[in-house]
């Protein structure tokens, strides 16, 4: 007969999960990266980045020296209480920063890129270079 160790599920399992989830090294929910969608149509690529509560001044979108799209967002929210008759027992504030570099396809017209923020979503439009029909289908003679 083989004897296996017996664990009391009522005491062992909760301790494992409590120790794991209660540690300070766990990331906070607001420290996660925002969701990104990338769509393609015949005329453009569209990048959508979820950024609820952020304003257009919280974003910096540019093309870096390598020709890649660089998106940076930074938000500092602090609840201020100007009541001079009291002191803080608890003061809540938040700070979030996110940076993402996206490699752009060769067919993006980098001079016509546009970005806007609407309803908590940053949308970056990446128009494709317009190609003439004869450039798009260049026939190669078979010898």
């Amino acid at each position: 007969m083989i004897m296996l160790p017996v664990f009391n599920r009522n005491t062992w399992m909760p301790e494992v999960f409590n120790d794991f989830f209660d540690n300070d090294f766990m990331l906070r929910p607001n420290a996660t990266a925002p969701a990104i969608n990338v769509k393609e149509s015949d005329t453009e690529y569209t990048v959508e980045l979820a950024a609820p509560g952020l304003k257009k001044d919280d974003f910096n979108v540019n093309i870096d020296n390598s020709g890649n799209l660089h998106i940076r967002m930074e938000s500092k929210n602090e609840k201020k209480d100007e009541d001079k008759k009291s002191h803080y027992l608890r003061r809540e504030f938040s700070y979030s920063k996110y940076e993402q570099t996206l490699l752009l396809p060769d067919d993006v017209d980098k001079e016509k890129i546009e970005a806007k923020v609407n309803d908590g979503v940053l949308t970056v439009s990446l128009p494709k270079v317009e190609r003439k029909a004869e450039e798009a289908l260049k026939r190669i003679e078979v010898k």
Side-chain angles (χ1 to χ4, degrees), residues 6 21 34 38 84 91 101 103-104 107 115 122 133 139-141:
V6 177
F21 287 111
V38 179
K84 301 291 183 187
R91 185 174 181 181
T101 300
L103 302 175
L104 294 179
D107 62 345
L122 171 70
R139 183 169 173 89
I140 300 173
E141 184 178 338

Side-chain angles (χ1 to χ4, degrees), residues 30-32 34 49-60 71-79 92-99 117 120:
N30 63 351
T32 59
L49 185 128
L54 298 185
K55 303 174 292 294
K56 72 175 192 166
D57 294 336
D58 297 329
F59 293 95
N60 184 350
I71 300 172
R72 178 183 302 138
M73 64 182 201
E74 185 173 5
S75 174
K76 297 176 187 176
N77 294 320
E78 187 173 321
K79 295 178 180 163
E92 294 185 9
F93 60 92
S94 67
Y95 173 81
S96 61
K97 183 177 181 180
Y98 171 77
E99 292 187 38
V117 176

Side-chain angles (χ1 to χ4, degrees), residues 39-83:
K39 298 188 294 187
E40 180 184 11
S41 70
D42 291 339
T43 59
E44 72 177 355
Y45 300 95
T46 304
V47 176
E48 300 169 328
L49 185 128
L54 298 185
K55 303 174 292 294
K56 72 175 192 166
D57 294 336
D58 297 329
F59 293 95
N60 184 350
V61 179
N62 58 48
I63 303 294
D64 66 15
N65 293 337
S66 301
N68 301 316
L69 180 68
H70 187 79
I71 300 172
R72 178 183 302 138
M73 64 182 201
E74 185 173 5
S75 174
K76 297 176 187 176
N77 294 320
E78 187 173 321
K79 295 178 180 163
K80 295 184 180 181
D81 184 7
E82 298 299 328
D83 184 6

